[in-house]
Amino acid sequence: MKSKHPHPTSPVQGEEYRSARELAGLPGMPGTERHVRNMAASRGWESRRRVGKGGGLEYASKSLPAITRAALAKIRFFENENCITTPTQPSPIQGEDCAGRRQGEDYGDQQRGAAAEARRSALWAVFDRRPDKIKQIAKQRLGIILRAHELATGEMKKADAVKQAASEAGVSASAVWEWMKKIKTLDRRDWLPALAPEYSGGGRQAACDVEAWDFFYADYMRPEQPTAAGCYERLMYAAAENEWRVPSLATLLRRLRAEAGPAVITLERVGIEALEKMYPAQERDKTMLHAMETVNADGHRFDVFVKWPDGSIIRPTMVAWQDIYSGMMLSYRVGKTENVEQVRLSCGDMIDKYGMPSHAYLDNGRGFASKWMTGRMSNRFRFKIKPEEPEGILTAMGVEVHWTTPYHGQAKPIERTFLDLCDRVSKHPAFSGAYTGNKPTAKPSNYGSKAIPLEDFLRVLEQEIIRHNQRGGRRSKVCAGRSFQQAFTESYEKAPIRKATRDQRRLWLLAADGMLAARLDGAIRLHGNRYWTGDMVRLAGKRVTVRFDPDNLRSGIHVYTQKGEYLLHAPCILASGFMDTTAAKEHQRARRRFVNAHKEAAAAGKRMSAIEVAGRIPEAAQAPLPEARVVAPVFVPLKKAVPDVDMDYEAERERKTVARTEAIFKLLGGGRGGGNNFFTED
């Protein structure tokens, strides 16, 4: 049996179209076909001519409100659930459908049944959203109709029964007949929602072209959050140019709230964070925990100007640790900025005083995610794990770290504690004139008139944290009217607590950093200081891990291997004055002791003297001279004969001396024209 109306086009094949009869009564739609057609005409819905008997128009689903499209999707779901197969969807069993029927049968009844069930669900959904006044009218109408049926079961005719029932209720019989016409084709259980009045108090909707609505929607739904009046003014300019039909601003805003809803408006105009706040927060039960099982930590900057010992005026930052079970503040440190030193020292204070936790909830800040705290942790999201990276404090303690979202109070309960301290500490009467306000636009009238000395700020902070822990009347399930400290103490006395040993305390009391020992003597230089002891010679040229107290660098350092094995404690070697003879003598004695100690160690290690070693060395035997079996000839070139001259060396020497003397005499003016000549013979 074929359906009276053609089945709408499948969304898979193309755009889905629905007639006014199919849309009437659905969520977001009027209750009658006439009102549906009026709405479509006023809003300019996309439509097409309906094929088949009766004609008319069918409207595209993309033009419908979102709530109506959701109802249509629900109808399609019911159709799919009842195994309405298509040529592209074969039956689960060859020759049968999922209900066990043979293929080739007419499934029109089953299809209409699924659609009817979807309409029943949509009809009751619309009725449930109607106000109580409308529901009460529907109940009165149903009572009149039931009274007419009761009278008609006897000898009274149906027309007379309707007149009498209408007369008893004070309504006209024609109205009762109209009501009965509405429920004529409906099941008895669906009479009540069908009898509800169709008017909603809004009257006919004002006309608005699709282009005009899209223009206003796109302009208003922007992160810049333009005003509705400004958007409407721009819309009127565009409407005058394009000849759009535009209703009033109030009508547009009502339609926007009805179709988009507050959640979508918040997402588009404010952002995803504001939308997330509209979702109810998760309530987590802490009664299953115990004290010091789980902690959380974070940093907070106070809105107070503080004068530091170096003369600078900076708002102080506190890093604090809190027990999640009870809510008690465990430890804190204050500094100019949130850094790893504060995190390390505050963590050490907590472990030293109360013990080691099993879990820690931290945000992914540079201080908490630094290698000094979570080094070598596989789920750390900052930096890289390098071979020389020292093992962090929390990793070495076996604490499981859970990273949370920064500035998210629902992820870390300590954010709520900071909110209390903003009022109790930052706005303390002792800090009047130093309060800065929580944002630049909220500065008090006496802004910047005073700065609090650091010691005064720390004193007030300590008192307020003590009062915070001891304040009664806490309404959490764990406290039940008690204070944080009372709840913590009761659980702490019964809970298994892990305590740290003396060796473990070095992990948090002293910072860790990879250092390279000097290649010659193994000394380590750190922050301008030199650390050395005699056993460090064996560490020369090696990379080690040192732990030190940055607040007291003269106390020495503790040296570890890169694997975390403790080696030794190295004292700080202070530099002496250039003319300090006492320090020079002490240094000479220390060096002599060092040399003598190693001489004794060297002597103790020798069980054989050098002479004994030399005596045990065998003499080397001379190897025999090998015999040459092949002789190569040697050719010497001939030389020219040189005459043998026999020269009297002494006579030649005397002759040269006389000749040289005569030459000198001539230069002096002698030997010319006679004169005295020593060399002239008589």
Side-chain angles (χ1 to χ4, degrees):
M1 179 178 179
K2 297 183 179 180
S3 177
K4 182 178 179 181
H5 304 294
H7 194 275
T9 304
S10 172
V12 178
Q13 300 174 354
E15 182 62 44
E16 182 181 8
Y17 286 82
R18 295 279 181 172
S19 65
R21 181 180 179 183
E22 294 174 315
L23 296 175
L26 293 179
M29 292 286 104
T32 62
E33 300 179 32
R34 179 172 61 86
H35 289 164
V36 171
R37 288 191 291 269
N38 292 338
M39 178 183 287
S42 64
R43 297 189 178 183
W45 290 353
E46 180 183 341
S47 62
R48 70 180 184 183
R49 298 298 303 177
R50 180 175 174 272
V51 180
K53 186 178 179 180
L57 297 176
E58 291 179 329
Y59 305 100
S61 60
K62 66 180 181 180
S63 301
L64 304 177
I67 189 173
T68 306
R69 294 197 300 269
L72 293 175
K74 188 174 182 180
I75 293 176
R76 291 194 301 271
F77 173 77
F78 274 101
E79 293 174 351
N80 295 332
E81 285 294 312
N82 285 273
C83 302
I84 301 177
T85 59
T86 63
T88 59
Q89 293 177 325
S91 300
I93 303 177
Q94 184 65 28
E96 296 184 358
D97 63 3
C98 58
R101 293 186 175 184
R102 299 299 303 173
Q103 290 183 357
E105 296 183 12
D106 186 6
Y107 299 121
D109 294 339
Q110 183 181 6
Q111 182 176 357
R112 287 192 296 274
E117 184 66 24
R119 287 184 175 278
R120 289 187 65 250
S121 177
L123 184 63
W124 278 98
V126 173
F127 179 75
D128 191 41
R129 288 192 294 270
R130 306 297 290 275
D132 292 338
K133 183 178 180 179
I134 300 297
K135 294 178 181 178
Q136 186 63 30
I137 295 175
K139 292 178 181 179
Q140 293 175 357
R141 292 179 177 182
L142 179 60
I144 297 172
I145 293 176
L146 294 179
R147 175 59 178 166
H149 276 272
E150 181 183 357
L151 295 174
T153 56
E155 298 179 355
M156 188 178 294
K157 295 182 180 180
K158 184 176 182 180
D160 296 336
V162 171
K163 289 182 180 180
Q164 183 173 344
S167 177
E168 293 177 358
V171 297
S172 64
S174 60
V176 178
W177 285 111
E178 289 292 333
W179 301 340
M180 295 177 66
K181 188 184 299 184
K182 287 184 177 182
I183 63 175
K184 182 178 180 179
T185 59
L186 297 179
D187 190 87
R188 166 65 185 82
R189 54 185 176 175
D190 298 328
W191 284 3
L192 179 62
L195 291 172
E198 297 176 355
Y199 59 85
S200 58
R204 184 173 181 178
Q205 291 185 339
C208 180
D209 289 339
V210 176
E211 293 83 357
W213 169 250
D214 293 341
F215 183 95
F216 179 78
Y217 189 96
D219 190 13
Y220 185 76
M221 304 286 272
R222 291 187 288 122
E224 293 78 11
Q225 301 183 23
T227 62
C231 296
Y232 189 75
E233 182 180 353
R234 288 187 288 271
L235 173 61
M236 296 305 296
Y237 294 148
E241 179 72 20
N242 298 278
E243 298 182 355
W244 293 338
R245 293 176 298 174
V246 179
S248 65
L249 175 60
T251 301
L252 292 175
L253 292 178
R254 283 195 300 268
R255 179 180 174 182
L256 183 67
R257 288 190 291 267
E259 295 187 7
V264 177
I265 295 175
T266 302
L267 173 63
E268 295 290 342
R269 289 177 60 86
V270 185
I272 190 171
E273 293 185 2
L275 178 63
E276 291 176 351
K277 293 180 180 179
M278 300 179 69
Y279 192 84
Q282 180 185 13
E283 294 185 1
R284 291 178 286 185
D285 187 12
K286 298 185 291 186
T287 57
M288 64 187 67
L289 304 175
H290 62 77
M292 287 305 298
E293 180 180 0
T294 306
V295 299
N296 69 131
D298 201 2
H300 175 72
R301 173 166 288 186
F302 289 97
D303 300 324
V304 178
F305 280 136
V306 172
K307 186 174 183 180
W308 296 79
D310 59 359
S312 60
I313 299 178
I314 302 175
R315 294 162 54 198
T317 300
M318 177 182 69
V319 174
W321 295 74
Q322 179 195 42
D323 177 53
I324 288 184
Y325 168 77
S326 62
M328 190 179 82
M329 293 280 287
L330 301 173
S331 63
Y332 67 93
R333 286 293 180 112
V334 177
K336 293 183 178 180
T337 59
E338 178 183 325
N339 51 58
V340 67
E341 300 297 339
Q342 287 181 266
V343 177
R344 176 183 57 81
L345 294 174
S346 59
C347 178
D349 294 341
M350 174 190 65
I351 298 176
D352 192 23
K353 188 174 182 180
Y354 297 105
M356 294 182 291
S358 300
H359 302 268
Y361 285 82
L362 312 172
D363 64 21
N364 195 23
R366 290 186 176 273
F368 293 98
S370 68
K371 61 184 179 181
W372 287 355
M373 294 301 300
T374 57
R376 296 190 179 273
M377 186 170 290
S378 59
N379 63 338
R380 188 163 62 96
F381 301 111
R382 284 190 184 271
F383 316 114
K384 294 181 179 179
I385 298 179
K386 300 180 180 179
E388 68 271 16
E389 181 176 288
E391 189 176 19
I393 297 174
L394 298 178
T395 308
M397 293 292 179
V399 179
E400 184 176 354
V401 176
H402 307 269
W403 302 109
T404 62
T405 305
Y407 307 105
H408 193 241
Q410 298 175 1
K412 299 186 299 297
I414 198 171
E415 296 279 5
R416 180 64 179 83
T417 301
F418 291 156
L419 182 62
D420 292 342
L421 295 180
C422 287
D423 179 66
R424 301 299 197 279
V425 177
S426 298
K427 299 181 180 181
H428 194 276
F431 301 158
S432 179
Y435 179 65
T436 64
N438 57 357
K439 53 185 177 181
T441 58
K443 296 179 180 179
S445 59
N446 59 351
Y447 174 83
S449 60
K450 185 172 63 173
I452 305 299
L454 178 60
E455 56 271 15
D456 296 343
F457 174 81
L458 295 177
R459 183 178 64 256
V460 173
L461 176 62
E462 181 181 4
Q463 293 297 319
E464 290 302 324
I465 290 180
I466 293 175
R467 293 190 180 98
H468 174 81
N469 291 334
Q470 296 178 352
R471 187 176 301 119
R474 302 296 184 178
R475 294 176 294 179
S476 65
K477 293 182 180 179
V478 174
C479 294
R482 300 174 297 172
S483 66
F484 292 152
Q485 188 169 2
Q486 290 173 340
F488 177 84
T489 303
E490 180 184 1
S491 176
Y492 187 82
E493 293 175 350
K494 303 176 183 178
I497 305 298
R498 298 187 303 159
K499 291 291 186 177
T501 63
R502 178 184 300 178
D503 295 334
Q504 288 176 325
R505 290 173 180 171
R506 287 195 291 263
L507 297 178
W508 69 78
L509 291 178
L510 306 171
D513 197 4
M515 299 296 295
L516 183 65
R519 298 184 179 277
L520 182 60
D521 54 6
I524 295 177
R525 291 185 177 273
L526 180 66
H527 296 312
N529 297 317
R530 186 172 53 149
Y531 302 89
W532 185 84
T533 186
D535 294 336
M536 294 181 66
V537 176
R538 53 192 174 95
L539 302 177
K542 296 182 179 180
R543 190 170 294 276
V544 296
T545 296
V546 300
R547 299 188 182 275
F548 60 95
D549 186 352
D551 297 331
N552 188 12
L553 294 173
R554 299 294 177 87
S555 63
I557 61 174
H558 295 273
V559 184
Y560 292 77
T561 65
Q562 284 290 287
K563 297 181 179 180
E565 301 169 345
Y566 181 72
L567 297 176
L568 50 89
H569 174 266
C572 179
I573 302 178
L574 301 178
S576 58
F578 186 81
M579 301 296 293
D580 192 346
T581 57
T582 303
K585 292 180 180 180
E586 180 62 28
H587 178 74
Q588 183 71 15
R589 287 193 294 267
R591 183 172 60 183
R592 190 181 302 112
R593 288 194 298 267
F594 169 76
V595 174
N596 293 336
H598 284 78
K599 283 183 177 180
E600 295 177 359
K606 291 183 179 180
R607 298 184 180 181
M608 185 178 297
S609 63
I611 298 177
E612 292 176 340
V613 171
R616 290 178 177 268
I617 299 176
E619 295 183 359
Q622 183 68 32
L625 183 66
E627 180 181 358
R629 298 182 179 275
V630 179
V631 179
V634 178
F635 301 94
V636 180
L638 296 176
K639 298 182 179 180
K640 294 182 179 180
V642 179
D644 188 10
V645 179
D646 188 9
M647 181 179 295
D648 188 351
Y649 179 75
E650 292 295 334
E652 181 65 20
R653 179 180 179 186
E654 183 177 357
R655 186 186 63 82
K656 289 181 178 182
T657 301
V658 172
R660 186 166 50 252
T661 304
E662 291 178 352
I664 294 173
F665 182 77
K666 289 179 180 181
L667 291 176
L668 296 176
R672 180 176 297 180
N676 294 328
N677 190 349
F678 290 107
F679 302 98
T680 303
E681 294 181 357
D682 294 337

